[in-house]
Amino acid sequence: MTLQTPDHDEAHGGGLGSRLNWLRAAVLGANDGVVSTAGLVVGVAGATDSRATLLTAGLAGLLAGSMSMAAGEYVSVSTQRDSEKAALALEKRELATEPQAELRELTELLEGKGLGPELAREVAEQLTHHDALRAHAEVELGIDPDDLTNPWHAAGASFLAFTAGALLPLLAIVLPPTGQRLWITVVAVLAALALCGWTSARLGAAPVGPAVLRNVAGGALAMAVTYVAGTLLGAVGV
Ligand SMILES: [Zn+2]
């Protein structure tokens, strides 16, 4: 097996890259919660002034969205973990049945990373002597065998991130008096989306301006579309 992952940090639970990935995922999850719940409550607000209806719709949207995010994350991380475990098991078998071929393979991989043939051979031998499976897992598969992502942690984090984001439009539409709730929600949502766009751009070292603009425009479009739909439905008395 020669499956090289260029970005090692992706797979290391304690590494800086991994922590940044978690943070980026949290911001995206919160952003999702803001946009989908804002679209939902603004749409319902186009049709009705009833605070109870707004609260019901917003809360249902929050729960449905956060559960769906958590379930999706659980499934995707479990699948990833299963394939990492399968790759490790295969590696373990290969190391047991053909250690010489595995040593050659590790040597070649290290040469591919820029070591000279003799040094690569020596490093491969020492790594194999120390912990052969770990060496192959890291160099060949790009994973840390002791630190595979836990699907429950990933699911919980998605749930919390989405919920945190969804609470903003929900509270902004439910708390203010009837005449004020719409503009307060729109302003709060657009500000939150600007912050999310700014943060994720900074975390990804991308230009901030376009990221903020795209994110704010996306949210504004979502609210405009659902508001028009809600108003039309409200007008015909559905
Ligand atoms: Zn191997």
Side-chain angles (χ1 to χ4, degrees):
M1 291 201 58
T2 49
L3 181 79
Q4 274 176 289
T5 318
D7 189 354
H8 252 216
D9 288 337
E10 300 277 341
H12 288 234
L16 178 64
S18 164
R19 244 173 295 151
L20 281 179
N21 283 340
W22 277 93
L23 206 52
R24 217 174 297 160
V27 172
L28 286 178
N31 199 83
D32 242 9
V34 172
V35 174
S36 67
T37 310
L40 181 64
V41 294
V42 165
V44 176
T48 177
D49 282 341
S50 158
R51 179 169 277 132
T53 306
L54 285 166
L55 181 61
T56 308
L59 207 55
L62 180 155
L63 287 172
S66 55
M67 302 288 281
S68 139
M69 289 279 291
E73 193 65 14
Y74 181 84
V75 168
S76 114
V77 171
S78 297
T79 306
Q80 160 95 14
R81 195 181 161 105
D82 285 349
S83 59
E84 287 175 350
K85 278 185 175 165
L88 284 173
L90 177 63
E91 203 59 44
K92 206 171 186 172
R93 269 203 308 281
E94 288 176 345
L95 280 167
T97 54
E98 35 197 328
Q100 284 313 309
E102 285 297 305
L103 181 62
R104 240 184 349 263
E105 181 190 53
L106 188 58
T107 306
E108 280 163 19
L109 287 170
L110 290 168
E111 278 183 57
K113 285 180 183 292
L115 298 188
E118 274 172 34
L119 182 58
R121 177 79 189 184
E122 196 183 325
V123 171
E125 275 171 1
Q126 287 199 19
L127 286 176
T128 301
H129 182 68
H130 178 64
D131 186 343
L133 183 60
R134 168 172 290 278
H136 281 259
E138 291 189 350
V139 177
E140 200 182 324
L141 308 171
I143 57 182
D144 180 344
D146 297 329
D147 204 4
L148 304 182
T149 308
N150 183 324
W152 288 106
H153 291 176
S158 296
F159 183 92
L160 290 179
F162 186 96
T163 300
L167 277 174
L168 178 90
L170 178 60
L171 295 176
I173 204 88
V174 168
L175 293 181
T178 306
Q180 313 289 318
R181 61 169 57 124
L182 209 54
W183 76 262
I184 290 178
T185 302
V186 170
V187 169
V189 164
L190 295 183
L193 292 180
L195 185 65
C196 286
W198 184 86
T199 311
S200 60
R202 290 306 300 267
L203 289 174
V208 165
V212 168
L213 217 62
R214 275 194 293 264
N215 209 31
V216 169
L221 183 65
M223 288 188 288
V225 168
T226 58
Y227 184 69
V228 169
T231 307
L232 292 176
L233 287 175
V236 296
V238 176

